[in-house]
Amino acid sequence: MRPTGRLHLGHLHGVLRNWTRLQHEYDCYFFIADWHALSTDYASADGIANHVMDMVVDWLAVGVSPSSSALFIQSQVPEHAEMHLLLSMICPTAWLERVPSFKEAQRLEGGRELNTYGFLGYPLLQAADILLYRAGLVPVGDDQVSHIEFARDAARRFNHLYGREEDFELKAEAAIRRLGRKTSKLYVNLRRAYQEQGDVEALNTARAVIKEQQTITLGDQERLYGYLEGAGKLVLPEPQALLTQRPRVAGLDGARMSRSQGNAIFLRDADTELNEKIRQMPTDPARVRRIDPGEPTRCPVWQMHLDYSSADVCQWAEQGCRSAGIGCLECKAPLVEAIDAELAPIRERAQDYAGNPDLVWAILAEGAERARDEARETLGEVRRAMGLKYR
């Protein structure tokens, strides 16, 4: 996540709630992408440090746990930069120029000067971020699938160029024997079913069998993956998109909640601030007077009721609006109560973390070391494959 400002309810329900679930199901790496922030905000970088602290405090406050996942700052793991550099040697310029979001982002950024390599190359840095951890799954919404495909293309090109090993087949067959008699036979049968019959289910089962093996080396594991698919040594696995539902969270004006649109409720808004924001929300323009009936579907407050209120409250608000049985301020009251009930514990935990910055920096440092352990291992394989391992 790029540190470009305070986090709001859209981040909570669109991303962070999903992260808190995934961290108990997978080995997760969550990082603050400060280098990515520079790709568009290089001319106003002074605020990044404050945004970093605010962001990680919000992560911790909503339940992203350093004991269940690695939390770190991108620039504190310099292996990201080296991986990006090495991939840039093999990435065709045309690949970057045709990324769907490139020209669209240039248009949306308006007057900013974005004809920089950092902006052009951010999809490749993003690919490096993913491939450095040999990630199997990347949680994204539909709008980010093209970026995961770009990372897959980068991995596939790297493996094609460098996934060659002397006596590869002999070493792969030796790795099969090391699986043990029963597992070896299963692997051979699944490989045959995939290569001779195109059985994708057999391919997925064989991958799962390899992943479960705890006694083989990483090199043997990569050989088995590559041999399975009829390729060479698989140095960089191709990541898959883990599609996640990102609900559209309505902002104070009824449009999608966005910091840049000025319609956001932030995770650490005080109860008085929250109350004031909702009291000032626009309502159905047809309700000029208290006795005028309204139409909920034209009212931003109704959109928020759908997100936060129970079915009974929604029914009460809908009927009261259409019959003019309740006023707009009365309609907003249970909404304030529901949102405040969600934000109050987050505010309290955030206050504890914000008051102990040394603890927060220690969490980030520990996460960076954990990430670097994994990153160094991958880079060792990458350097070796590219002929850059000299001793």
Side-chain angles (χ1 to χ4, degrees):
M1 191 180 291
R2 287 163 31 119
T4 54
R6 298 162 65 193
L7 301 188
H8 52 65
L9 289 174
H11 296 110
L12 178 65
H13 293 288
V15 179
L16 295 175
R17 290 296 190 210
N18 187 48
W19 285 9
T20 59
R21 177 180 59 83
L22 291 175
Q23 67 185 347
H24 300 299
E25 300 175 11
Y26 299 96
D27 187 16
C28 292
Y29 292 82
F30 302 124
F31 70 87
I32 297 172
D34 53 345
W35 282 338
H36 281 290
L38 288 173
S39 68
T40 55
D41 298 327
Y42 61 87
S44 56
D46 293 346
I48 288 180
N50 290 333
H51 292 330
V52 165
M53 175 57 72
D54 284 342
M55 179 170 285
V56 73
V57 164
D58 285 342
W59 287 5
L60 294 166
V62 302
V64 180
S65 170
S67 63
S68 301
S69 53
L71 281 64
F72 62 96
I73 300 171
Q74 182 185 30
S75 63
Q76 291 187 341
V77 182
E79 287 78 8
H80 284 249
E82 183 177 351
M83 188 70 166
H84 177 217
L85 173 67
L86 295 176
L87 291 178
S88 74
M89 302 301 178
I90 67 170
C91 178
T93 307
W95 284 15
L96 297 170
E97 293 172 338
R98 72 172 185 238
V99 171
S101 57
F102 173 61
K103 290 184 178 177
E104 176 66 10
Q106 277 191 318
R107 183 184 67 79
L108 293 175
E109 291 294 343
R112 282 200 255 189
E113 174 53 61
L114 295 179
N115 290 319
T116 63
Y117 170 73
F119 185 69
L120 176 66
Y122 85 87
L124 188 61
L125 177 57
Q126 191 175 57
D129 298 332
I130 295 167
L131 300 178
L132 188 59
Y133 300 96
R134 288 180 276 197
L137 296 169
V138 187
V140 293
D142 290 337
D143 58 334
Q144 288 289 310
V145 170
S146 64
H147 290 280
I148 307 306
E149 184 55 43
F150 185 93
R152 288 171 56 81
D153 288 342
R156 194 176 300 125
R157 180 166 172 79
F158 185 95
N159 292 329
H160 174 72
L161 290 171
Y162 303 112
R164 300 290 179 266
E165 186 177 30
E166 189 176 351
D167 297 328
F168 171 74
E169 289 196 2
L170 292 176
K171 292 177 180 178
E173 289 168 1
I176 294 172
R177 291 193 294 272
R178 284 191 279 272
L179 293 174
R181 181 177 297 179
K182 183 177 179 180
T183 306
S184 295
K185 184 177 180 181
L186 175 62
Y187 173 88
V188 169
N189 289 338
L190 291 169
R191 177 177 179 270
R192 183 180 298 118
Y194 170 65
Q195 293 197 356
E196 295 180 4
Q197 303 167 28
D199 188 338
V200 176
E201 186 175 344
L203 171 64
N204 292 331
T205 303
R207 284 173 172 166
V209 169
I210 297 169
K211 188 175 182 180
E212 289 171 0
Q213 303 309 305
Q214 303 295 322
T215 58
I216 62 174
T217 66
L218 183 62
D220 275 352
Q221 186 181 64
E222 290 168 347
R223 291 181 187 101
L224 291 170
Y225 280 128
Y227 195 56
L228 173 66
E229 300 183 38
K233 183 180 178 183
L234 188 64
V235 183
L236 297 177
E238 296 180 22
Q240 302 290 333
L242 178 62
L243 288 176
T244 58
Q245 286 191 339
R246 292 192 173 182
R248 178 188 179 279
V249 177
L252 295 166
D253 57 359
R256 184 169 189 153
M257 189 171 290
S258 168
R259 187 171 47 237
S260 62
Q261 297 301 315
N263 66 355
I265 294 173
F266 297 102
L267 300 186
R268 281 186 269 169
D269 278 348
D271 52 357
T272 53
E273 191 173 4
L274 170 65
N275 184 60
E276 188 64 19
K277 282 184 175 181
I278 293 181
R279 283 175 61 88
Q280 293 180 5
M281 283 181 68
T283 55
D284 179 6
R287 297 204 69 183
V288 178
R289 298 171 298 172
R290 166 68 174 75
I291 59 173
D292 293 332
E295 172 50 54
T297 57
R298 294 196 298 259
C299 179
V301 178
W302 170 246
Q303 295 301 316
M304 278 201 169
H305 270 303
L306 293 176
D307 289 335
Y308 285 96
S309 299
S310 67
D312 289 344
V313 171
C314 285
Q315 184 178 19
W316 166 81
E318 183 178 18
Q319 291 178 349
C321 178
R322 288 198 167 114
S323 66
I326 59 173
C328 293
L329 287 179
E330 189 179 355
C331 178
K332 293 173 179 179
L335 191 57
V336 174
E337 185 177 341
I339 296 176
D340 189 57
E342 180 172 49
L343 293 185
I346 294 175
R347 283 196 302 260
E348 184 176 351
R349 290 191 294 268
Q351 187 174 7
D352 290 340
Y353 283 112
N356 193 351
D358 289 342
L359 172 61
V360 175
W361 290 121
I363 288 171
L364 290 172
E366 182 179 346
E369 279 307 307
R370 178 176 164 187
R372 292 199 74 181
D373 287 343
E374 184 72 22
R376 289 186 188 110
E377 191 172 324
T378 301
L379 266 179
E381 292 293 322
V382 167
R383 291 175 189 143
R384 187 175 295 110
M386 297 181 79
L388 300 176
K389 198 77 171 177
Y390 300 115
R391 296 183 64 182

